[in-house]
Amino acid sequence: MRTQVGIIGAGPAGLLLSQLLHINGIESVILEKQSREYCEARIRAGVLEGGTVELLHEAQVADRMEKQKLLHGGIEIAFDGKYRYIDFVDLTGKDLTIWGQTQIVRDLNKARAEAGANLVFEAEDVAIHDYESDSPRITYTKDGEPLEVQCDFIAGCDGYHGVSRASIPQDQISSFERVYPFGWLGILVENPPVSDELIYAHSERGYALFSMRSPTLSRLYIQCNADENPDDWPDERIYEELRLRGGERVAADLVEAPSIEKSLAPLRSFVAEPLRHGNLFLAGDAAHIVPPTGAKGLNLAAADVRILYRALVAYYKSSRTDLLDAYSETCLRRIWNAQRFSWWMTSMLHTFPDSTPYERRLQISEIDYVTNSRAASLALAENYVGLPFD
Ligand code: RFL
Ligand code: PHB
């Protein structure tokens, strides 16, 4: 089979790229390892920057989001018995949208299927060939049959554990990484959120986050050891920690309901450079991971896609190669900004097992400063709502 852009991975990055290319008259094929049902059941991100929302409009998959989204004007930070609100709208004039990644993936799958897209689920043994040449290929197996996609470009949108980045010889790609000594245990519960805004809580017992997906669906997280077994965490134990970490107001207002999903995510910061290798372009989690504390992962994946699809459109419509040539450098500037912000939010709000009493005092002092000083709150706010595109 022949196409213009061969895309590996039907996560938000791969689906969004395929949809935006389609709207601009460019053909693509998506090869996805998992089933559609599996991809549509994964609970991941929830907080969208304005730029991501704009891109979903551009991709014509914003109708359901516009009807069901929640708008947020800021975040609360709980620490040391206090609750401080950082008002993003007042500080930056911008708000944030709560709309689950799960819903985005469902809408994109539906839009792609309705447009008759070539979307292959349960593609096995996906492998990349000749990506340095003008005729790259992707081979795979479907229902036991070996198949091949020939294309002009390959987009590696297959996440952190995918084959795209792993296919690049080690001496041609640099990796930068930090692994944190903890993870997030998350539950989804059919219960109204404990507060109108997200609450990021710092406590001696560890960090906790009180988030949401809708007026009737809460998403709650606690910091735990990265190697814990979620089965060792019955709901009652999680709620006990949430109450102890969230402070008095949260403890009084938090209503328990059984979890409908429970998962543990280790925390990692990671960047692979460059993002382009011949005619192979890495995008999203395939190229970079951030710890979820600043809610940047999905937004960064969308930012890569925005830059890549525009570069591909410029190539096909005007034979321009300059935007493709600049892809890696353009993306990396935003990626490193998000890396710095996510690392900073993570370091400020989590409890580190090896920190000294002196460092603990500094951490409290920093949270106090960031939530009390307009200048420091603004630095947090402008990064959280998303830095502008050039
Ligand atoms: P994905 O979503 O991992 O999709 C990659 C797809 O590639 C497929 N794949 C393969 N397909 C074919 N062959 C292979 N060999 C393949 N290997 C893998 C996979 O099955 C999958 O379908 O990457 P993508 O598209 O780059 O999207 C990235 C986002 O998913 C991720 O950054 C966010 O979910 C991160 N994240 C958050 N981001 C935000 O912007 N805001 C948030 O509030 C936020 N919260 C979160 C998060 C991530 C979390 N976890 C689970 C790590 C909260 C959590 C708990
Ligand atoms: C979420 O709702 O899943 C969420 C919200 C904010 C974050 C991370 C995750 O910083």
Side-chain angles (χ1 to χ4, degrees), residues 19-33:
Q19 174 72 359
L20 287 160
L21 291 176
H22 163 73
I23 288 168
N24 285 276
I26 300 166
E27 273 178 25
S28 64
V29 172
I30 306 185
L31 303 175
E32 164 60 50
K33 182 167 88 171

Side-chain angles (χ1 to χ4, degrees), residues 71-79 82-91 94-96 195-200 249 367-374 376-378 380-381:
L71 285 180
H72 279 256
I75 57 169
E76 271 193 283
I77 297 191
F79 72 106
K82 308 180 213 7
Y83 294 89
R84 297 247 176 92
Y85 183 57
I86 302 188
D87 189 332
F88 295 161
V89 174
D90 172 48
L91 290 161
K94 294 181 187 158
D95 54 17
L96 286 154
S195 174
D196 287 345
E197 297 288 18
L198 268 63
I199 303 175
Y200 287 81
R249 196 189 87 210
I367 302 173
D368 186 31
Y369 172 63
V370 166
T371 53
N372 218 14
S373 145
R374 189 170 172 92
S377 294
L378 176 56
L380 188 154

Side-chain angles (χ1 to χ4, degrees), residues 131-195:
Y131 63 81
E132 296 279 6
S133 81
D134 287 340
S135 36
R137 293 178 300 123
I138 311 170
T139 53
Y140 64 104
T141 311
K142 174 74 186 168
D143 300 327
E145 189 188 348
L147 294 160
E148 179 174 288
V149 175
Q150 295 164 2
C151 48
D152 303 328
F153 301 103
I154 299 175
C157 303
D158 48 351
Y160 182 69
H161 299 287
V163 289
S164 302
R165 193 183 68 251
S167 307
I168 300 160
Q170 291 228 333
D171 60 348
Q172 288 169 32
I173 192 159
S174 304
S175 297
F176 303 85
E177 184 171 45
R178 166 170 295 213
V179 176
Y180 298 86
F182 40 72
W184 280 20
L185 182 63
I187 53 171
L188 190 69
V189 285
E190 282 171 322
N191 226 1
V194 68
S195 174

Side-chain angles (χ1 to χ4, degrees), residues 313-356:
V313 171
Y315 171 79
Y316 283 110
K317 297 220 164 132
S318 324
S319 306
R320 278 175 60 182
T321 53
D322 57 324
L323 295 181
L324 288 171
D325 292 341
Y327 171 72
S328 185
E329 204 185 323
T330 311
C331 290
L332 281 167
R333 186 151 175 252
R334 191 175 189 84
I335 291 165
W336 277 108
N337 256 314
Q339 288 288 334
R340 187 193 50 70
F341 176 64
S342 305
W343 158 81
W344 173 70
M345 284 282 279
T346 302
S347 308
M348 178 170 70
L349 293 170
H350 289 71
T351 304
F352 284 75
D354 57 355
S355 65
T356 62

